[in-house]
Amino acid sequence: MRVRVEQTALPGIGVRHDLVTESGRRLGVVSHRNGRRDLVLYDPDDPDACQADIPLTDDEAEALADILGASLMLGQLSGLREQAAGLLTEQIAIPAGSRYVNRRLGETKARTRTSASIVAVLRDGEVIVSPLPSFRFAAGDVVVVVGTRRGLDGVSAILADSDPDG
């Protein structure tokens, strides 16, 4: 079932947003023109009758939104964790002797060779997010890599390579 939210203008008062839950319960938030908010729970037998009206301060409304948002986000993260089983993140330092010092990220062909992705580079306390293939590495850079264990090991081996002939 798709969530249904109804908005009703309340002349001289403000606006009311009502949500009908999957079980058929109706609840709402009345936002008054003066900034006050009320959480409203309607009678299950008479959707036009108010069963409870709870005034909320700004801090209370924000706390309730945080609670609802946090629980939703935790559920989404849990789902992502299940989808991403086997996906790892690792930080790999580029040694001074690496053949890729002063060379472009694209020259590593890391993603093509390992299926792992370099998603960021840490340099001198700065974070370079999603570096382009033209990004040049420096000794001591720390790359943030996402992939499987095998892919991460592959990127580590590529960046540790000191053989100029590859």
Side-chain angles (χ1 to χ4, degrees), residues 72-120:
L72 180 61
M73 185 175 291
L74 287 174
Q76 291 171 340
L77 286 174
S78 176
L80 284 175
R81 196 173 303 121
E82 290 170 15
Q83 290 175 18
L87 195 60
L88 306 168
T89 302
E90 192 166 278
Q91 294 182 12
I92 302 168
I94 298 181
S98 170
R99 67 181 289 208
Y100 293 103
V101 169
N102 296 319
R103 292 181 65 189
R104 292 183 179 94
L105 180 148
E107 293 178 62
T108 67
K109 296 186 175 124
R111 187 176 15 226
T112 302
R113 293 165 65 185
T114 68
S115 296
S117 296
I118 295 173
V119 297

Side-chain angles (χ1 to χ4, degrees), residues 146-164:
V146 176
T148 62
R149 175 78 268 151
R150 185 175 178 183
L152 299 178
D153 291 345
V155 172
S156 184
I158 289 168
L159 296 176
D161 185 359
S162 61
D163 179 1

Side-chain angles (χ1 to χ4, degrees), residues 23 35 42 44 51 57 59 69 78 81 95-96 102 136 153 164:
S23 67
Y42 297 96
Q51 190 175 37
T57 66
D59 289 341
S78 176
R81 196 173 303 121
N102 296 319
R136 287 190 181 271
D153 291 345

